[in-house]
Amino acid sequence: MAPSDTTTGHPPEPAPERPGPAELCDGSAAAGPADPADPADPAELAGRLRAVIQHLLPVLRGHSTHRDLTPSRTAALATLDAHGPLRVSELAARMNIALSTTSRMVDLLDDRGWIARRTDPVDQRASLISLNDAGRALLRAVRRETSGLLAERIGRLPPDRQHLLHAALPALEELVDDAG
Protein backbone atom coordinates (compact mmCIF):
# COMPACT_ATOMS: atom_id res chain seq x y z
CA MET A 1 0.00 0.00 0.00
CA ALA A 2 1.37 3.45 -0.99
CA PRO A 3 2.02 5.96 1.79
CA SER A 4 -0.56 8.75 1.99
CA ASP A 5 -0.41 12.45 2.87
CA THR A 6 -1.38 12.66 6.55
CA THR A 7 -3.44 15.85 6.02
CA THR A 8 -5.59 14.62 3.10
CA GLY A 9 -5.31 10.86 3.20
CA HIS A 10 -4.41 10.90 -0.52
CA PRO A 11 -1.20 9.52 -2.00
CA PRO A 12 1.52 12.16 -2.23
CA GLU A 13 1.93 14.09 -5.51
CA PRO A 14 5.02 13.07 -7.47
CA ALA A 15 7.86 15.59 -7.34
CA PRO A 16 7.91 17.90 -10.36
CA GLU A 17 10.44 16.89 -12.95
CA ARG A 18 13.47 19.10 -13.36
CA PRO A 19 14.26 20.29 -16.88
CA GLY A 20 16.72 17.98 -18.52
CA PRO A 21 19.48 18.83 -20.96
CA ALA A 22 17.04 18.41 -23.84
CA GLU A 23 14.99 21.39 -22.64
CA LEU A 24 15.72 25.03 -23.37
CA CYS A 25 15.94 27.76 -20.74
CA ASP A 26 12.31 28.74 -21.39
CA GLY A 27 11.12 25.18 -20.78
CA SER A 28 10.48 24.34 -24.41
CA ALA A 29 11.86 21.09 -25.70
CA ALA A 30 15.06 21.18 -27.67
CA ALA A 31 14.86 18.79 -30.54
CA GLY A 32 17.84 16.81 -31.63
CA PRO A 33 19.65 17.55 -34.87
CA ALA A 34 17.04 18.34 -37.49
CA ASP A 35 17.13 17.32 -41.11
CA PRO A 36 18.61 20.42 -42.82
CA ALA A 37 16.28 19.90 -45.80
CA ASP A 38 13.22 20.05 -43.50
CA PRO A 39 12.36 23.62 -42.42
CA ALA A 40 11.77 23.73 -38.69
CA ASP A 41 9.26 25.76 -36.76
CA PRO A 42 10.60 29.37 -36.54
CA ALA A 43 9.70 29.54 -32.84
CA GLU A 44 11.72 26.39 -32.14
CA LEU A 45 14.66 27.70 -34.15
CA ALA A 46 14.47 31.04 -32.33
CA GLY A 47 14.48 29.36 -28.93
CA ARG A 48 17.39 27.12 -29.78
CA LEU A 49 19.40 29.95 -31.36
CA ARG A 50 18.77 32.24 -28.38
CA ALA A 51 19.86 29.51 -25.98
CA VAL A 52 23.05 28.83 -27.95
CA ILE A 53 23.92 32.54 -28.08
CA GLN A 54 23.23 32.94 -24.35
CA HIS A 55 25.65 30.13 -23.58
CA LEU A 56 28.29 30.98 -26.16
CA LEU A 57 28.76 34.68 -25.34
CA PRO A 58 29.89 34.13 -21.73
CA VAL A 59 32.37 31.52 -22.98
CA LEU A 60 33.89 34.10 -25.32
CA ARG A 61 33.88 36.87 -22.71
CA GLY A 62 35.39 34.67 -20.05
CA HIS A 63 38.58 34.17 -22.04
CA SER A 64 39.31 37.84 -22.70
CA THR A 65 42.54 39.28 -21.39
CA HIS A 66 40.92 42.74 -21.37
CA ARG A 67 39.14 42.61 -18.00
CA ASP A 68 38.07 46.28 -18.03
CA LEU A 69 36.31 45.85 -21.37
CA THR A 70 32.77 44.80 -20.49
CA PRO A 71 30.29 43.47 -23.07
CA SER A 72 28.52 46.85 -23.24
CA ARG A 73 31.81 48.70 -23.73
CA THR A 74 32.80 46.25 -26.44
CA ALA A 75 29.42 46.77 -28.10
CA ALA A 76 29.89 50.55 -27.98
CA LEU A 77 33.34 50.29 -29.56
CA ALA A 78 32.02 47.92 -32.23
CA THR A 79 29.12 50.27 -32.97
CA LEU A 80 31.48 53.22 -33.30
CA ASP A 81 33.72 51.13 -35.54
CA ALA A 82 30.83 50.19 -37.81
CA HIS A 83 28.85 53.46 -37.80
CA GLY A 84 30.98 56.24 -36.30
CA PRO A 85 31.53 59.02 -35.82
CA LEU A 86 28.24 59.38 -33.94
CA ARG A 87 26.60 61.74 -31.51
CA VAL A 88 26.02 60.22 -28.08
CA SER A 89 22.27 60.18 -28.79
CA GLU A 90 22.86 58.24 -32.04
CA LEU A 91 25.09 55.76 -30.23
CA ALA A 92 22.39 55.29 -27.58
CA ALA A 93 19.76 54.68 -30.25
CA ARG A 94 21.93 52.18 -32.14
CA MET A 95 22.71 50.29 -28.94
CA ASN A 96 19.13 50.57 -27.69
CA ILE A 97 20.17 51.89 -24.28
CA ALA A 98 19.28 55.03 -22.32
CA LEU A 99 20.99 58.28 -23.23
CA SER A 100 22.20 58.82 -19.65
CA THR A 101 23.76 55.35 -19.58
CA THR A 102 25.42 55.97 -22.93
CA SER A 103 26.77 59.33 -21.75
CA ARG A 104 28.40 57.69 -18.73
CA MET A 105 29.81 54.93 -20.92
CA VAL A 106 31.23 57.45 -23.40
CA ASP A 107 32.91 59.29 -20.51
CA LEU A 108 34.45 56.01 -19.36
CA LEU A 109 35.61 55.09 -22.87
CA ASP A 110 37.14 58.56 -23.16
CA ASP A 111 38.86 58.21 -19.76
CA ARG A 112 40.34 54.90 -20.92
CA GLY A 113 41.68 56.60 -24.04
CA TRP A 114 39.72 54.48 -26.53
CA ILE A 115 37.68 57.19 -28.28
CA ALA A 116 38.06 60.68 -29.67
CA ARG A 117 35.57 63.51 -29.32
CA ARG A 118 35.28 66.38 -31.72
CA THR A 119 32.76 69.13 -32.22
CA ASP A 120 29.93 68.31 -34.58
CA PRO A 121 30.33 70.64 -37.57
CA VAL A 122 26.55 70.71 -38.05
CA ASP A 123 25.82 71.68 -34.42
CA GLN A 124 28.71 73.27 -32.54
CA ARG A 125 27.01 72.44 -29.21
CA ALA A 126 27.21 68.68 -29.87
CA SER A 127 30.14 66.28 -30.06
CA LEU A 128 30.87 63.44 -32.42
CA ILE A 129 32.38 60.31 -30.90
CA SER A 130 34.67 58.00 -32.86
CA LEU A 131 37.25 55.33 -32.20
CA ASN A 132 40.82 56.52 -31.93
CA ASP A 133 43.86 54.40 -32.79
CA ALA A 134 43.97 52.85 -29.32
CA GLY A 135 40.27 51.94 -29.49
CA ARG A 136 40.66 50.40 -32.93
CA ALA A 137 43.68 48.40 -31.80
CA LEU A 138 41.81 47.16 -28.71
CA LEU A 139 38.79 46.14 -30.75
CA ARG A 140 41.00 44.29 -33.26
CA ALA A 141 42.75 42.47 -30.40
CA VAL A 142 39.45 41.42 -28.80
CA ARG A 143 38.11 40.25 -32.14
CA ARG A 144 41.29 38.24 -32.77
CA GLU A 145 40.98 36.60 -29.33
CA THR A 146 37.33 35.63 -29.74
CA SER A 147 37.80 34.53 -33.35
CA GLY A 148 40.75 32.39 -32.26
CA LEU A 149 38.71 30.79 -29.50
CA LEU A 150 35.82 30.11 -31.86
CA ALA A 151 38.18 28.75 -34.51
CA GLU A 152 39.63 26.36 -31.97
CA ARG A 153 36.17 25.12 -30.95
CA ILE A 154 34.97 24.89 -34.55
CA GLY A 155 38.12 22.93 -35.42
CA ARG A 156 37.10 20.30 -32.86
CA LEU A 157 33.76 19.75 -34.57
CA PRO A 158 33.48 16.88 -37.06
CA PRO A 159 33.80 18.05 -40.69
CA ASP A 160 30.08 17.51 -41.41
CA ARG A 161 29.16 19.87 -38.51
CA GLN A 162 31.68 22.44 -39.75
CA HIS A 163 30.00 22.32 -43.18
CA LEU A 164 26.56 22.78 -41.59
CA LEU A 165 27.82 25.76 -39.61
CA HIS A 166 29.31 27.26 -42.78
CA ALA A 167 26.04 26.74 -44.64
CA ALA A 168 24.09 28.47 -41.84
CA LEU A 169 26.22 31.63 -41.84
CA PRO A 170 24.41 33.45 -44.67
CA ALA A 171 21.08 33.07 -42.86
CA LEU A 172 22.60 34.26 -39.57
CA GLU A 173 24.20 37.22 -41.32
CA GLU A 174 20.84 38.07 -42.85
CA LEU A 175 19.28 38.11 -39.36
CA VAL A 176 21.87 40.69 -38.33
CA ASP A 177 21.28 42.75 -41.49
CA ASP A 178 17.52 42.76 -40.81
CA ALA A 179 18.14 44.05 -37.27
CA GLY A 180 20.30 46.98 -38.42
Side-chain angles (χ1 to χ4, degrees):
M1 181 172 186
S4 63
D5 183 323
T6 57
T7 59
T8 65
H10 298 290
E13 300 258 342
E17 287 188 31
R18 302 188 88 164
E23 291 186 29
L24 301 174
C25 298
D26 62 3
S28 60
D35 177 0
D38 182 25
D41 173 34
E44 176 197 351
L45 286 174
R48 291 178 66 192
L49 181 59
R50 180 195 44 76
V52 166
I53 291 169
Q54 279 182 319
H55 289 92
L56 187 57
L57 286 176
V59 168
L60 297 176
R61 290 181 197 132
H63 287 82
S64 178
T65 59
H66 308 282
R67 296 293 174 211
D68 56 345
L69 191 58
T70 64
S72 58
R73 294 172 194 165
T74 304
L77 294 177
T79 301
L80 289 170
D81 185 49
H83 305 287
L86 298 171
R87 288 182 174 191
V88 174
S89 59
E90 293 170 319
L91 180 60
R94 287 196 175 272
M95 294 183 64
N96 198 26
I97 58 176
L99 181 58
S100 60
T101 302
T102 307
S103 294
R104 286 189 301 273
M105 185 181 336
V106 165
D107 288 341
L108 192 141
L109 296 174
D110 192 23
D111 290 345
R112 297 275 199 275
W114 298 332
I115 62 168
R117 294 183 199 229
R118 65 178 171 87
T119 304
D120 185 343
V122 175
D123 181 354
Q124 300 293 314
R125 298 168 296 165
S127 295
L128 291 176
I129 312 302
S130 60
L131 286 183
N132 61 20
D133 290 341
R136 268 194 256 358
L138 174 64
L139 193 55
R140 274 194 310 269
V142 168
R143 287 174 171 165
R144 265 192 317 272
E145 285 177 7
T146 55
S147 292
L149 180 62
L150 276 174
E152 179 184 315
R153 287 176 172 243
I154 291 169
R156 292 193 307 245
L157 292 173
D160 63 321
R161 299 311 239 172
Q162 291 181 33
H163 290 292
L164 285 172
L165 187 56
H166 184 265
L169 283 175
L172 294 171
E173 291 163 345
E174 195 171 318
L175 289 175
V176 172
D177 291 343
D178 286 348

